[in-house]
Amino acid sequence: MPEDAQELRKARRFLKERLQRDYTTLRGYKEERSNVRQLLQRTAEMGESNSLLLIGPRGAGKTTLINAVLTDLLVNRSFVDNTLIVHLDGNLHTDDRIALKSITVQMRLENAADGKVFGSFAENLAFLLQCLKAGDKKSKSVVFILEEFDLFCTHHNQTLLYNLFDVSQSAQAPICVLGVTCRLDVIELLEKRVKSRFSHRQVFLFPSADQFEAYTKLCQELLLIPSNSELKASADRIDSLHLLKSEALNFNRNHFDGVEYEFDNKFVENWNKHHAKMLKSSQAQKTFQMLYDFDISEAFLKNFIFRLVAQLKPDAPHITVDQLTALSAQYEGDDKIDMLCGLSVLELCLIIAIKHHSEIYDRDPFNFEIVFARFSKFAKISTTMQSVERSIVLKAFEHLRIGELIMPLSNSGVGKVQKEFEMHKMALTYGQIQQAVQRYQALPTEVAQWAQSSLI
Amino acid sequence: SRLAEGTPRRSIQLSNIVEQRVFKDNEIISTPKRGRKTKSIEDADADYSPRSVQKTPTRTRRISATAKSTVTPIRGTAATSASAAPITPSQKLKKIRAGELSPSMQQRSGKPVDESRKSQLQLAREQLHVSVVPKSLPCREKEFENIYSFLEGKIQDQCGGCMYVSGVPGTGKTATVTGVIRTLQRLVSQDKLADFDFLEINGMRLTEPRQAYVQIYKQLTGKTVSWEHAHTLLEKRFTTPAPRRVTTVLLVDELDILCNRRQDVVYNLLDWPTKSAARLVVVTIANTMDLPERLLMGKVTSRLGLTRLTFQPYTHKQLQEIVTARLGGSEAFKGEAVQLVARKVAAVSGDARRALDICRRATEIADTARDKCVTMLHVQQALGEMIASAKVQAIKNCSRLEQIFLQAVAAEVTRTGVEESTFMGVYTQVETIAAFMGVSLPPPGRALRLCAKLGAERLIISEHSRNDLFQKILLNVSADDIHYALRVGEIAAAN
């Protein structure tokens, strides 16, 4: 049925885009969200100066929280007219010089013209401070959003942080400094005068999917298709943002937009019923429990579901439990064992020789000669490895080395020691080697037997 | 040479000369001065003066390109000072450097909220903001007296001198000194004291120590020049005697930042007062009490002198007094609530900023709870938030395998007895614990991911994952915290 295929393609695109580009929908975190929102609102309306640190593990929705708060506030005309928003990122603004130029451009100060800033670093700093000092309660509030805040702490003397916090603690233009970081001990990185000027408000974002039920509910939410009315409501919200055309939101140009999608009611009903049932099954629950045990963050789950959704095809129009378990098996698998299974028999023999050496000498380092001697002892009595030359074994050894299955003891000694005599260590556990030997396709019996015991 | 290690030499005089020659002063064209920056004056001459009429093709093209886009954004009050003709960025920069263009901020469209419409809590919150410095600082009368008599004496005697003020952050050093200066300036306006200039620099507001010359000179004349030039001009001003020179008071905040290895800036700043022509009084502020002995060279320490003053951290009584003085007659705070804040903060640092911030947070909490008055409970909550230790919370909110990993690190530390363990040892412990708890074991590759995630949060300190099985792992939380977080969780789950 071509209509169904059409509908399915639409659903797949819808789900994918919602997973990837929905930057503003935040689930949970009611209290934290209202805390940040009120703080920004007071900065904008009352002209208060504030500072805040948003801390939480990676993938916990820190940036999404800020995006969500900003989208809420930017609908408000009085907020838009009275605030400038300056985004900084520690990964991009790697020193104060670059950060300062970016601030000058984003605040549209007078020494910037069309994105180009004039004057030296010292002049820029002096000019920015003068501008902020010239401001008072009547001037616009500036909201500085510093992502990867811990990287700003590594800058020279922490000049930028000192000055931002200093402005927030003196009677100048009202500013709000919002730091976002994943490090819990970030305050310890601040110098003591910077620390004293920071207001010590910290908002911690720990994923509240503390219970497994909440996690499965989140799975459902990510996988099911909402009704048309819900779609319309979210589309309206996004539209109001597009109308603002604010520069403060750099994501609104390419945001997920529900308005493009309208689904056949029957299809949606069918889809949701099937997938709700699928998610309830014990097999699916087990899979999600496995994911949940490993990582409770939403980012991880989204990644998993994206791979699941990408498997939808017209001839397989629903996600089945089998697909789910197959994918989870991929997540559970060990990449190094896969790598071992891709080695040649000679290389695997070397690995086994290394393993025997490690077992006998309790993980002592080894070099090529040691391994080659142990291997030659085996090759002499084996029927298949008789005619292997030394240079070929050396090549195989080098192959293992660049695959980082074995690693040199130190990087510095490369030039001094000949490569046959350089000491190495093995970056594998015995369990991994054992599994690889079991799983290896068409391994000669001799090698399999030798892997069991080092006695020949 | 000396020039080589300072700011890149970019003398304003030089570029002004060049500009005057090339553009005949008033033409409205400009080129970004990129290429010219490094050239010496001879080069610039050779380049520009003979060919100022017949320009090379590339040059004309560039100029026409910039001339087309001469739409300069003009905003704020500065727009009034600009004429109707559009100004090019470089002309604007010239004006900024000459101090003719006052920097401004964009203005609000609406009016600020009316005072009378604010609630009692809101008023209290505004009064408690750190930026609202009171006219006279409570609990710093003695220090005020000390600095006042020093400065007044120096101004009246018309001689130079130095003073060193130290104390931990947030103990009212800068506020007291500027308060003294304000009082003296009031006296001057009433003709009770000889006139004096007041200059002020802050080490942390400079990108490098030598920019201090630029800032000082800028406060004297309003012009921005290169540091070499500013240095010579200041040297000239302070070393040559001039009749009717008024006394200059120079406040140097964050002195330790101005110290570099050569210490030439600090030396100059402290050497000028010794010249009889200068009539310069320098007040230096820093945090550490023994900075002159620890960091400064002998000759600099000697010039800094022994007139010193130390600001002690506030005690709980003083902090209480500060907060109640801020609140005025307002009933927004319960007395015991203020006392609790003062006692908690005084026990940690004696930082007034901290006490005021906590009080402000408490008013916010009371606001959201729709209470009229801040009570003990609100303060308790604010203290919990702001003297936060979220490590236990973080461990509780880890995933199950992360928790097992943390337990394994703690177990490995107990087993080996040393703090630092390798990933391999930890992984063996993970195997054991996972087998004991009946959880499926993650392969080492995924365990490395757990390790990296915990390392990003700083619950553990780990090396780069490239070291694979041999990376070293340190526990960043105490082992007791792990046990507490996981055991208490278990007990709660059992009930």
Side-chain angles (χ1 to χ4, degrees):
Chain A
M1 284 175 283
E3 288 99 47
D4 261 12
Q6 200 77 27
E7 205 75 358
L8 178 75
R9 234 174 257 137
K10 209 159 69 181
R12 190 175 62 188
R13 209 172 70 221
F14 171 79
L15 290 171
K16 276 186 178 177
E17 289 201 350
R18 194 174 60 177
L19 284 170
Q20 283 195 313
R21 300 215 314 246
D22 191 358
Y23 305 115
T24 50
T25 308
L26 183 74
R27 299 175 184 85
Y29 300 131
K30 283 239 168 57
E31 237 170 77
E32 291 86 353
R33 183 174 175 164
S34 80
N35 195 346
V36 176
R37 190 193 153 125
Q38 280 171 8
L39 192 85
L40 287 182
Q41 216 162 6
R42 275 201 308 273
T43 309
E45 284 167 11
M46 311 282 193
E48 259 180 48
S49 289
N50 286 305
S51 48
L52 177 101
L53 268 183
L54 206 58
I55 303 174
R58 285 208 189 283
K62 302 181 288 294
T63 309
T64 315
L65 182 126
I66 289 187
N67 286 346
V69 168
L70 285 183
T71 32
D72 288 352
L73 287 174
L74 283 170
V75 180
N76 197 340
R77 206 64 240 186
S78 70
F79 182 85
V80 181
D81 291 341
N82 291 331
T83 40
L84 290 169
I85 298 179
V86 176
H87 287 275
L88 296 175
D89 192 314
N91 279 327
L92 297 175
H93 304 105
T94 47
D95 61 26
D96 283 349
R97 195 179 300 258
I98 303 171
L100 207 60
K101 282 206 168 166
S102 184
I103 291 174
T104 311
V105 171
Q106 290 185 53
M107 285 177 69
R108 279 163 291 174
L109 295 182
E110 277 151 55
N111 54 349
D114 284 342
K116 193 165 180 337
V117 181
F118 292 84
S120 66
F121 176 38
E123 281 175 300
N124 290 343
L125 179 65
F127 194 76
L128 176 72
L129 293 177
Q130 274 181 340
C131 283
L132 289 171
K133 205 171 178 183
D136 53 7
K137 294 249 159 172
K138 285 193 203 93
S139 47
K140 279 194 182 183
S141 312
V142 190
V143 178
F144 290 94
I145 298 174
L146 309 176
E147 298 211 28
E148 309 293 341
F149 182 80
D150 47 315
L151 296 181
F152 283 99
C153 299
T154 59
H155 293 179
H156 179 65
N157 278 350
Q158 303 188 344
T159 310
L160 182 73
L161 290 185
Y162 176 90
N163 285 310
L164 288 183
F165 284 139
D166 195 47
V167 171
S168 81
Q169 302 246 311
S170 46
Q172 302 182 9
I175 70 166
C176 177
V177 184
L178 212 64
V180 185
T181 178
C182 68
R183 280 182 69 159
L184 291 169
D185 60 346
V186 69
I187 290 199
E188 309 305 316
L189 298 178
L190 298 173
E191 262 196 71
K192 59 185 184 315
R193 49 192 149 217
V194 183
K195 196 169 156 187
S196 163
R197 281 168 176 77
F198 171 57
S199 74
H200 284 266
R201 277 164 213 266
Q202 302 170 64
V203 172
F204 290 99
L205 287 190
F206 294 117
S208 65
D210 209 4
Q211 305 84 15
F212 184 59
E213 289 84 57
Y215 194 71
T216 43
K217 227 176 118 201
L218 177 64
C219 300
Q220 277 195 8
E221 212 174 305
L222 288 174
L223 206 54
L224 298 191
I225 295 174
S227 68
N228 281 338
S229 58
E230 282 168 339
L231 270 179
K232 195 152 182 314
S234 79
D236 285 346
R237 198 172 65 104
I238 301 302
D239 272 351
S240 64
L241 279 182
H242 282 290
L243 280 178
L244 283 173
K245 284 273 176 256
S246 164
E247 288 166 42
L249 290 178
N250 37 19
F251 51 80
N252 73 350
R253 263 173 296 137
N254 194 19
H255 196 273
F256 163 73
D257 196 348
V259 78
E260 295 166 27
Y261 301 98
E262 205 167 316
F263 292 101
D264 184 26
N265 280 335
K266 218 173 121 204
F267 174 81
V268 171
E269 201 180 305
N270 202 354
W271 173 276
N272 287 351
K273 218 165 99 191
H274 178 271
H275 286 103
K277 202 175 140 210
M278 190 271 290
L279 289 174
K280 287 261 160 53
S281 71
S282 65
Q283 197 72 19
Q285 291 282 321
K286 223 170 116 190
T287 305
F288 285 118
Q289 180 74 51
M290 190 277 289
L291 293 178
Y292 181 70
D293 274 349
F294 182 68
D295 193 337
I296 58 176
S297 75
E298 200 178 308
F300 185 68
L301 180 67
K302 275 186 172 172
N303 193 351
F304 182 80
I305 290 183
F306 187 87
R307 290 180 68 177
L308 216 54
V309 169
Q311 290 177 3
L312 286 172
K313 284 188 198 83
D315 48 345
H318 290 298
I319 297 168
T320 57
V321 180
D322 293 339
Q323 280 176 331
L324 204 71
T325 43
L327 190 59
S328 78
Q330 271 187 37
Y331 269 75
E332 271 183 326
D334 190 343
D335 304 334
K336 271 206 172 153
I337 294 179
D338 293 345
M339 233 171 116
L340 284 174
C341 289
L343 296 178
S344 68
V345 177
L346 175 60
E347 285 153 357
L348 196 69
C349 284
L350 284 185
I351 290 278
I352 290 167
I354 291 167
K355 178 190 158 211
H356 288 326
H357 173 84
S358 296
E359 273 172 346
I360 293 166
Y361 297 103
D362 197 20
R363 287 241 175 212
D364 258 5
F366 52 88
N367 62 17
F368 174 72
E369 292 297 338
I370 296 172
V371 176
F372 185 63
R374 191 166 286 280
F375 167 75
S376 312
K377 240 169 42 187
F378 163 73
K380 232 183 287 171
I381 57 152
S382 80
T383 50
T384 49
M385 292 279 173
Q386 292 276 2
S387 59
V388 184
E389 285 169 33
R390 184 188 155 93
S391 59
I392 293 177
V393 182
L394 182 59
K395 193 81 194 164
F397 190 79
E398 278 169 6
H399 216 207
L400 294 180
R401 183 178 153 158
I402 57 164
E404 295 202 356
L405 296 171
I406 57 177
M407 299 198 303
L409 273 188
S410 61
N411 292 330
S412 55
V414 177
K416 291 168 199 160
V417 190
Q418 274 178 298
K419 67 180 170 193
E420 290 97 331
F421 300 103
E422 199 188 338
M423 298 310 268
H424 286 82
K425 53 196 179 179
M426 179 178 66
L428 295 164
T429 60
Y430 299 140
Q432 283 174 315
I433 299 173
Q434 213 165 355
Q435 280 186 47
V437 168
Q438 275 165 13
R439 215 188 291 167
Y440 197 90
Q441 295 283 315
L443 187 71
T445 339
E446 283 173 342
V447 180
Q449 276 171 356
W450 181 47
Q452 296 305 317
S453 140
S454 58
L455 297 175
I456 305 163
Chain B
S1 71
R2 249 175 72 167
L3 303 184
E5 51 189 41
T7 30
R9 185 167 169 83
R10 180 156 184 197
S11 168
I12 311 306
Q13 281 69 41
L14 166 80
S15 54
N16 279 351
I17 291 165
V18 172
E19 240 160 62
Q20 277 163 9
R21 279 193 192 175
V22 178
F23 303 124
K24 309 237 166 44
D25 257 350
N26 287 327
E27 272 180 58
I28 316 172
I29 43 172
S30 85
T31 50
K33 291 193 239 31
R34 282 254 148 204
R36 261 183 275 157
K37 193 154 52 173
T38 50
K39 279 174 190 160
S40 70
I41 193 155
E42 289 81 20
D43 281 343
D45 272 344
D47 239 12
Y48 292 104
S49 46
R51 269 182 285 161
S52 58
V53 192
Q54 40 159 32
K55 283 160 188 158
T56 52
T58 52
R59 182 149 295 281
T60 44
R61 208 190 309 137
R62 215 164 91 207
I63 286 168
S64 66
T66 45
K68 250 178 246 164
S69 62
T70 43
V71 211
T72 43
I74 299 167
R75 254 176 219 86
T77 51
T80 54
S81 69
S83 59
I87 328 176
T88 58
S90 69
Q91 277 178 324
K92 208 181 232 175
L93 188 65
K94 227 158 84 183
K95 280 197 167 176
I96 289 173
R97 281 176 181 162
E100 289 163 12
L101 196 82
S102 59
S104 65
M105 280 286 287
Q106 296 177 36
Q107 296 294 307
R108 274 166 195 274
S109 57
K111 286 231 163 69
V113 184
D114 198 16
E115 283 291 325
S116 56
R117 280 176 54 203
K118 286 175 183 164
S119 71
Q120 191 186 11
L121 270 179
Q122 261 170 344
L123 287 173
R125 184 154 65 231
E126 270 172 31
Q127 279 306 309
L128 284 170
H129 199 281
V130 186
S131 65
V132 187
V133 183
K135 289 227 166 60
S136 71
L137 287 181
C139 310
R140 285 294 179 224
E141 290 82 12
K142 242 166 89 189
E143 287 83 358
F144 186 92
E145 204 50 47
N146 204 328
I147 300 172
Y148 179 84
S149 57
F150 172 80
L151 282 177
E152 196 195 23
K154 290 289 175 196
I155 292 170
Q156 275 173 351
D157 299 348
Q158 306 201 329
C159 62
C162 292
M163 184 174 194
Y164 178 68
V165 178
S166 66
V168 291
T171 47
K173 299 181 295 296
T174 313
T176 307
V177 174
T178 46
V180 170
I181 300 281
R182 263 203 311 277
T183 313
L184 290 172
Q185 278 167 341
R186 215 166 31 242
L187 282 184
V188 170
S189 66
Q190 293 163 1
D191 282 334
K192 288 180 185 159
L193 190 74
D195 195 11
F196 69 96
D197 281 343
F198 174 57
L199 312 174
E200 175 185 27
I201 58 169
N202 183 327
M204 286 293 274
R205 297 205 180 115
L206 308 172
T207 51
E208 55 151 8
R210 278 165 184 155
Q211 290 291 326
Y213 302 134
V214 180
Q215 289 303 319
I216 294 171
Y217 186 71
K218 193 171 175 188
Q219 287 179 38
L220 283 171
T221 61
K223 290 192 176 65
T224 308
V225 295
S226 73
W227 71 262
E228 295 96 332
H229 196 56
H231 181 212
T232 40
L233 289 172
L234 287 176
E235 193 83 50
K236 208 194 263 168
R237 180 190 156 97
F238 288 127
T239 49
T240 50
R244 289 190 212 157
R245 162 149 308 151
V246 291
T247 310
T248 313
V249 178
L250 173 63
L251 170 61
V252 182
D253 219 338
E254 313 290 1
L255 180 72
D256 48 329
I257 300 294
L258 290 177
C259 299
N260 44 6
R261 228 184 47 222
R262 293 180 39 156
Q263 305 195 353
D264 50 339
V265 178
V266 204
Y267 179 80
N268 273 327
L269 290 182
L270 297 176
D271 190 42
W272 287 330
T274 60
K275 307 275 188 333
S276 60
R279 291 203 189 165
L280 182 67
V281 187
V282 180
V283 182
T284 53
I285 299 180
N287 291 137
T288 39
M289 196 168 70
D290 57 345
L291 180 87
E293 285 74 30
R294 210 154 43 99
L295 211 63
L296 298 176
M297 289 194 271
K299 54 182 180 184
V300 182
T301 311
S302 146
R303 278 171 176 75
L304 187 57
L306 291 167
T307 322
R308 295 186 189 178
L309 181 62
T310 311
F311 280 63
Q312 297 299 334
Y314 290 114
T315 62
H316 69 91
K317 278 196 184 128
Q318 291 172 324
L319 280 178
Q320 201 175 343
E321 201 176 316
I322 290 169
V323 175
T324 38
R326 287 287 184 112
L327 288 168
S330 161
E331 304 278 296
F333 263 84
K334 287 256 196 304
E336 69 264 23
V338 177
Q339 194 174 4
L340 179 63
V341 172
R343 282 186 184 272
K344 285 275 184 186
V345 173
V348 178
S349 59
D351 191 334
R353 291 193 188 106
R354 186 69 91 83
L356 292 170
D357 278 329
I358 291 174
C359 287
R360 213 153 61 85
R361 178 67 193 140
T363 64
E364 284 168 18
I365 292 170
D367 225 2
T368 41
R370 299 183 189 290
D371 287 338
K372 287 254 160 54
C373 181
V374 179
T375 61
M376 283 289 253
L377 290 174
H378 301 134
V379 168
Q380 199 90 50
Q381 197 186 334
L383 282 167
E385 275 179 32
M386 299 182 80
I387 308 181
S389 166
K391 283 187 171 164
V392 172
Q393 193 71 17
I395 298 168
K396 274 187 187 164
N397 282 307
C398 282
S399 75
R400 198 154 165 217
L401 286 176
E402 282 163 5
Q403 288 175 350
I404 289 175
F405 195 88
L406 282 174
Q407 278 177 312
V409 179
E412 182 70 6
V413 170
T414 331
R415 188 182 74 86
T416 56
V418 283
E419 301 268 291
E420 194 182 74
S421 39
T422 63
F423 180 82
M424 201 154 26
V426 173
Y427 187 71
T428 330
Q429 293 288 343
V430 171
E431 273 174 333
T432 320
I433 295 174
F436 183 73
M437 292 175 78
V439 185
S440 70
L441 175 78
R446 301 186 78 202
L448 278 173
R449 247 196 79 174
L450 293 176
C451 180
K453 190 150 186 268
L454 293 172
E457 261 182 273
R458 289 297 151 137
L459 288 174
I460 60 174
I461 297 173
S462 59
E463 288 181 317
H464 195 283
S465 306
R466 108 168 42 96
N467 291 341
D468 220 279
L469 295 180
F470 306 99
Q471 68 169 311
K472 302 202 169 53
I473 295 172
L474 272 175
L475 205 56
N476 200 24
V477 287
S478 79
D480 295 337
D481 272 355
I482 296 176
H483 291 308
Y484 175 75
L486 301 181
R487 279 292 302 285
V488 171
E490 268 170 33
I491 291 164
N495 289 338

